[in-house]
Amino acid sequence: MIKITEHPLNPEDVTSTVFSNEAGAVNVFIGTVRGTTKNKKVVKLEFETYLNMAIKEIEKIIEAARHKWPIQHMIIHHRVGTLTVGEIAVVIAVSSGHRKEAFAACQYAIDTLKETVPIWKKEVFEDGEEWVSAHP
Amino acid sequence: MEVEILAFGITRDIVGGSTFKIFLEREATVSALKELLYQKYPKMKQLRSLMIAVDNEYVDEGLELKGQEEIALIPPVSGG
């Protein structure tokens, strides 16, 4: 259900896991490493995590999504370590009876993950580096 | 009491390591810990936010620390 790993993520594996005969919709969000930030060329991203707490916080997201919407399954996989441009950082897959709930739950999951889950990324540029969102 | 603190992301860079020790009054609050951190590491005051986690949970500023907990600094997260 939850995986935080240094290995590359496979969206097909994550997606196929949420399929069920009761589901009429499967929604997948894939977050990828963008090549530019504020017109600066990104060389790579370095992700780190506070693993035990991150898993706990992701569990809370899945639990809350289940309370808010009648979803069948939700899977969240996040990559950590060094990622290059175009690589997949996160995959969230949700299944539900109808599409509306799957879309809503998926959006909720990624939005909340970005606010609460202790994972940090540092953008490495050609001429420096910066922890994302650290400063106002 | 001396407590060991875990530091992640930019706070790890600021303190210069993934763990460090700090001396606190007995039953100091999270708020007191943060004040001490701001004095010792002024760069932490410039962050968009600084949360404290105790035993893998975000805690309120008023929580009293006993010294046996796992305490971690959580600067603004940026996963996804």
Side-chain angles (χ1 to χ4, degrees):
Chain A
M1 202 161 70
I2 299 168
K3 189 153 95 177
I4 297 178
T5 175
E6 296 203 345
H7 300 291
L9 302 181
N10 184 334
E12 286 78 18
D13 286 354
V14 180
T15 307
S16 62
T17 319
V18 302
F19 274 67
S20 90
N21 289 344
E22 284 69 46
V26 171
N27 195 287
V28 182
F29 173 80
I30 301 174
T32 56
V33 177
R34 195 176 40 244
T36 52
T37 291
K38 295 171 202 156
N39 296 322
K40 282 170 95 177
K41 193 170 170 235
V42 174
V43 178
K44 60 180 179 175
L45 290 190
E46 288 172 5
F47 284 83
E48 69 173 59
T49 184
Y50 181 16
L51 185 62
N52 291 346
M53 184 173 172
I55 288 174
K56 259 180 149 169
E57 288 297 321
I58 294 175
E59 280 171 354
K60 286 181 193 169
I61 292 172
I62 296 174
E63 198 55 39
R66 283 190 186 289
H67 275 91
K68 287 171 186 279
W69 299 281
I71 56 174
Q72 303 286 334
H73 303 287
M74 176 180 276
I75 310 266
I76 300 181
H77 286 192
H78 204 298
R79 176 116 179 251
V80 291
T82 302
L83 277 74
T84 53
V85 173
E87 282 196 287
I88 297 171
V90 61
V91 181
I92 299 176
V94 192
S95 57
S96 62
H98 300 276
R99 70 184 181 284
K100 204 174 160 192
E101 292 77 18
F103 271 114
C106 196
Q107 169 118 44
Y108 166 82
I110 184 61
D111 289 352
T112 311
L113 181 146
K114 282 174 168 286
E115 283 173 12
T116 64
V117 178
I119 295 175
W120 298 269
K121 62 173 168 258
K122 187 165 68 177
E123 283 176 328
V124 179
F125 305 105
E126 282 165 326
D127 61 349
E129 53 184 45
E130 189 178 323
W131 287 102
V132 176
S133 300
H135 296 103
Chain B
M1 61 186 183
E2 194 178 48
V3 293
E4 190 176 59
I5 297 179
L6 308 178
F8 295 95
I10 194 168
T11 58
R12 185 166 48 77
D13 287 352
I14 293 171
V15 304
S18 54
T19 65
F20 64 106
K21 287 181 174 167
I22 199 164
F23 196 83
L24 290 177
E25 303 268 313
R26 279 190 62 213
E27 302 191 342
T29 59
V30 166
S31 167
L33 166 63
K34 281 177 72 171
E35 275 311 309
L36 208 61
L37 289 169
Y38 290 152
Q39 280 172 29
K40 208 170 167 194
Y41 305 102
K43 281 184 177 169
M44 287 194 196
K45 228 173 170 169
Q46 294 161 10
L47 300 177
R48 194 160 55 80
S49 66
L50 178 64
M51 298 290 288
I52 305 293
V54 170
D55 293 335
N56 295 311
E57 296 281 352
Y58 290 108
V59 293
D60 293 329
E61 305 251 314
L63 181 84
E64 287 179 356
L65 298 166
K66 309 285 180 227
Q68 311 302 318
E69 310 91 331
E70 182 170 299
I71 303 169
L73 305 187
I74 313 287
V77 300
S78 51

